[in-house]
Amino acid sequence: MAKTALVVGASGIVGSATATLLNERGWTVHGLARRPSTQPGIHPVAADLQDPDTTRAALRDLNPDAVFIATWLRQDSEAANIRVNAAMVRNLLDGLRDASGPRHVALVTGLKHYLGPFEAYGRGSLPQTPFREEQGRLDVENFYYAQEDELFAAAARDRFTWSVHRPHTVIGLAVGNAMNMGTTLAVYATLCRETGRPFRFPGSAAQWSGLTDMTDAGQLARHMLWATETAAAHDQAFNIVNGDVFRWQWMWGRIADWFGIEAAPFDGIVRPLEDQMADDAGLWREIATREGLAEADLARLASPWHTDADLGRPIEVVTDMSKSRRLGFTDYRPTDDAFFDLFQRLRDDRLIP
């Protein structure tokens, strides 16, 4: 019999990729979101995880074998992030208590486990790179830790297995997502081509010249499914990246070439995209109207603040994957291919010209 999955955040970058993979592998997939999408083959579940009563009602008839949690809500402070996002995980897992499942719950967090939350991002005493799972929590409040604690408590109470997945910056397709570097860079390159502005790397010298890595959404989805189906991976936390490393001084030129523009020389000055793109909403509407694009609202495509946070870091960020490799996860995804495939999907879907 087909297994049943509940994908939480099914309309987001990670959730949509996970739902697609599970559907392809023969699972019956229910996709939960506040405003569920009409993704083919996915059974929509509408729920606001901030409301425990409506969440419980929405989940009443579900009995998933596995749950994949790939959602969060950005708040104005880390204290609010902790309160809201921990409650969402708690309400979700409480809402599933009457079912005979789940047997496994996979939670997506990220490298802010090692770098700290946005309020203290990349500051203070940080673990040595490459980041490894055995490096403990920072001595700072972090909503990722609060989400984990809710997961651990529910697993001990309800006797399901769990896995935590810590990607680096995720490359994938979703409209209206709060953290979307791939689409942000595609929109930025399009604006530079339209206006003749120089296509400048917006971040720090450390990011320009240091090694880094990233995570394709499909790679993350495969990793979560692997952990769900692999007994040796149960009740453990894992890093998950593509498997290659690169320097932005190389990748920036590759991205420029794809869009048919020149990469401007890097002069060491940080020029945040949030400043560069601050007045571009009207221009994007003009481009969208002229080219017949599917989304004219720049804010639903680009998240400059998040891209600035990643590319402006003053430290090198590289992730160790040895733990997963030892247990048998060997999938690999070249990061430039992940970018190029995303850019082509954006073009095919008429999200960029």
Side-chain angles (χ1 to χ4, degrees), residues 35 52 55 115 126 139 160 169 174 202 253 273 276:
R35 293 178 293 276
T55 297
L115 287 163
L126 301 175
D139 186 18
F160 57 77
T169 305
L273 290 180
Q276 293 194 55

Side-chain angles (χ1 to χ4, degrees), residues 318-340:
V318 185
T319 314
D320 183 78
M321 279 283 291
S322 298
K323 185 176 182 181
S324 293
R325 303 299 189 217
R326 290 189 180 103
L327 293 177
F329 182 81
T330 58
D331 285 27
Y332 168 83
R333 178 76 160 129
T335 300
D336 50 343
D337 285 357
F339 271 125
F340 300 157

Side-chain angles (χ1 to χ4, degrees), residues 123-298:
R123 303 174 200 159
S125 178
L126 301 175
Q128 186 180 48
T129 56
F131 295 136
R132 293 179 170 85
E133 294 90 345
E134 64 267 22
Q135 293 165 328
R137 293 180 175 183
L138 301 176
D139 186 18
V140 62
E141 295 296 314
N142 189 324
F143 83 87
Y144 283 170
Y145 306 160
Q147 287 182 311
E148 286 185 344
D149 289 342
E150 294 291 347
L151 173 67
F152 301 157
R157 178 192 69 201
D158 298 334
R159 300 181 183 277
F160 57 77
T161 59
W162 56 266
S163 55
V164 174
H165 303 262
R166 299 171 184 159
H168 198 169
T169 305
V170 178
I171 303 170
L173 178 61
V175 176
N177 192 271
M179 299 192 297
N180 196 337
M181 179 189 284
T183 304
T184 299
L185 293 181
V187 169
Y188 175 56
T190 300
L191 290 166
C192 288
R193 186 179 62 198
E194 174 79 12
T195 62
R197 296 181 207 161
F199 184 60
R200 295 190 184 279
F201 181 74
S204 68
Q207 291 303 304
W208 177 253
S209 59
L211 290 172
T212 193
D213 48 29
M214 294 183 73
T215 307
D216 178 73
Q219 174 84 336
L220 175 52
R222 291 187 294 274
H223 192 252
M224 286 195 288
L225 181 56
W226 164 80
T228 298
E229 297 180 332
T230 303
H234 290 171
D235 302 336
Q236 297 195 58
F238 297 97
N239 297 329
I240 170 61
V241 288
N242 289 333
D244 63 342
V245 294
F246 64 92
R247 302 181 199 276
W248 277 106
Q249 61 188 7
W250 173 79
M251 186 67 77
W252 200 249
R254 298 275 287 160
I255 293 173
D257 288 345
W258 197 93
F259 284 94
I261 56 179
E262 290 188 13
F266 181 64
D267 58 8
I269 299 174
V270 176
R271 294 181 171 85
L273 290 180
E274 198 161 23
D275 296 338
Q276 293 194 55
M277 301 171 68
D279 299 321
D280 285 335
L283 175 58
W284 188 260
R285 281 194 297 271
E286 293 176 10
I287 296 172
T289 300
R290 186 188 72 214
E291 302 290 340
L293 302 184
E295 181 55 70
D297 185 351
L298 181 64

